[in-house]
Amino acid sequence: MKKSTAVTLLVFFLLIPAALYLGLQLPGRSYYLTATLIILEILVPFFLAFEGRRPQARELVVVAVLCAIAIASRVALPLPHFKPTIAVIMLAGIAFGTETGFMVGAITALVSNFFVGQGAFTPWQMMAYGAAGLAAGFFAQKGWLPRKPWALALFGFFAVMLWVGPLLDVCSLFLTPIQINRQTVTAIFTSGLVVNVVQASGAAATMLLLGRPLLEKLERIQIKYGMLSGGAH
Amino acid sequence: MNDAFSKCHPLVNFLFFVGAIVCGAILQHPAYVAVGTVCGAVYYVLLRRSKAVKPMALMLLLALVMTAVNPVFNTRGEHVLFHLLGRPYTQEALVYGAALSGVLLTMLLWLGCYNAVLTGDKFTALFGSILPAISLLLVMVLRMVPNLMRKTRQIVGARRCVGKGTMEDAPTGEKLRGGVTVLSAMTSWALEGSIVTADSMRSRGYGATRRSSFMIYRMTGTDALVLTVMVLLLAVVITAVCLGQAAVAFLPHLTAAPVSWGVCAYGAYLLLPAVLHGKEALQWRISRSGI
């Protein structure tokens, strides 16, 4: 059995139940801590799998460049929340496959917080962005995601609205020091909705304008240097 | 920044913050929350000096608002202070809100200290030997971001020289198109450059054998001492919590375990960085007055 598979099995059958049990034993409301522990336990096998593959220099540098582009576009565009970052992550997933998509997303979230400051939301953001890249790669691999600008834009919009946004809303719900009941949940999700819509339109606009050209560039590099096969062709 | 704790081994820093933030997130007993907030605030001020005032005022405001809001959503509790919109506003819910806000405040303060102490280079140094590929990735990304920004400015400048620049008052559509062209050009350049970098890495032997790692930080005697004290104090705190010294129930009426030695150990643990900071400042003062 591969080492990374063993770790994944260990995480799902031992560590996550252990975290849930620990969360029940802890005094008071430890939703945030329990959930963060589980997120970290899900992130670790991905990182270990990447380590275990002993990535080649080319793979490593291309992942680094994709992360840097995603971060630079986050820092460079002065419009709040309207950023190309998530779109760049998803395009990386589409071009280079699920694992690279996940790594680009998770590393982008981690490193961009080195620039703007780490917060209690960092692991959540890593999970949300990584999964967005992974999902894009998965849908492209299955052939469910046509490479038309409008399809990419729709995918980007709904990926943020249905996954990235809600996950970060749950994080702020767990962090907000109020009793969790139906009213407060509604309040938090409603206040997050505006940000999510802006963020989703940012991703959609980037996909619409840049999706095709950027994908073509990424594929050109892949074909020219014969690397990172694993993405859809 | 002249801070003694920041000069300690990154492992000491990292473990301290993990302990402080996890304890801060779990413990809701008012005494523990108060100790956590005060110690966090002390070290935050020591680290950031005059720059600490504004963020701390904002955090305090947030905590106060959250405290006041909690009873609006939560009407349980025995002592009704007054009725708001026909719903009881209770004392217990207010205290509960204060404790939860204190937890948030503690976490924010310690995260602020974490950002000042455990910089990106220390983080990568710490994980360099455990996760070599990912640490290398982090270092490369940290270097590439400023590099890309610089290149972007060059591309924008070059475009302006050939009359393709967009003015400040250009319509948004034109600005957006210009931005897309620049981002596209930057991507091409960065991707081609990455291949050159990768080939250069390979020809210098990357991936030929296991990577060795260089650690610029050394575990000194002081580090070992601080680490030992830290672990012992944390063990005392964990024992106290397991013995139920941090047990508390807010609703429907407040019942808290009496304050005992657990709080003292918690306070001592959290004051470690501030004590180290103060000790060095004092030493410097004494040695300077000796000249």
Side-chain angles (χ1 to χ4, degrees), chain B residues 161-190:
Chain B
C161 287
V162 295
K164 290 266 191 184
T166 42
M167 296 296 138
E168 286 295 312
D169 54 346
T172 320
E174 200 173 303
K175 261 194 209 164
L176 209 59
R177 263 197 299 282
V180 167
T181 316
V182 171
L183 185 60
S184 177
M186 188 180 83
T187 311
S188 297
W189 171 81

Side-chain angles (χ1 to χ4, degrees), chain A residues 28-29 33 47 51 54 58 60-61 65 68 111 118 120 175-179 181 184 210 217 220 224-225, chain B residues 26 28 70 73-74 96 100 104 111 115 131-134 136-138 183-184 188 192 194-195 199 206:
Chain A
R29 24 169 285 158
L33 214 69
F47 285 122
E51 278 301 338
R54 294 281 182 85
R58 277 183 176 174
L60 211 58
V61 183
V65 163
V111 177
Q118 303 287 349
L175 279 174
T176 311
I178 45 174
Q179 185 80 18
N181 54 31
T184 48
L210 264 175
K217 271 174 218 257
R220 179 179 154 272
K224 185 172 171 187
Y225 297 103
Chain B
I26 295 175
Q28 293 186 337
N70 192 54
F73 288 105
N74 187 346
Y96 187 35
L100 292 181
L104 181 72
L111 276 168
N115 280 326
L131 301 168
I134 287 164
L136 180 63
L137 195 61
L138 290 183
L183 185 60
S184 177
S188 297
E192 287 284 342
S194 75
I195 298 298
D199 287 350
Y206 175 81

Side-chain angles (χ1 to χ4, degrees), chain B residues 237-281:
Chain B
V237 175
I238 292 171
T239 316
V241 173
C242 289
L243 288 176
Q245 286 196 14
V248 65
F250 291 95
L251 302 165
H253 59 97
L254 183 67
T255 45
V259 174
S260 181
W261 41 268
V263 184
C264 303
Y266 186 50
Y269 173 78
L270 293 183
L271 278 177
L272 269 178
V275 167
L276 280 179
H277 185 104
K279 178 185 146 274
E280 193 166 87

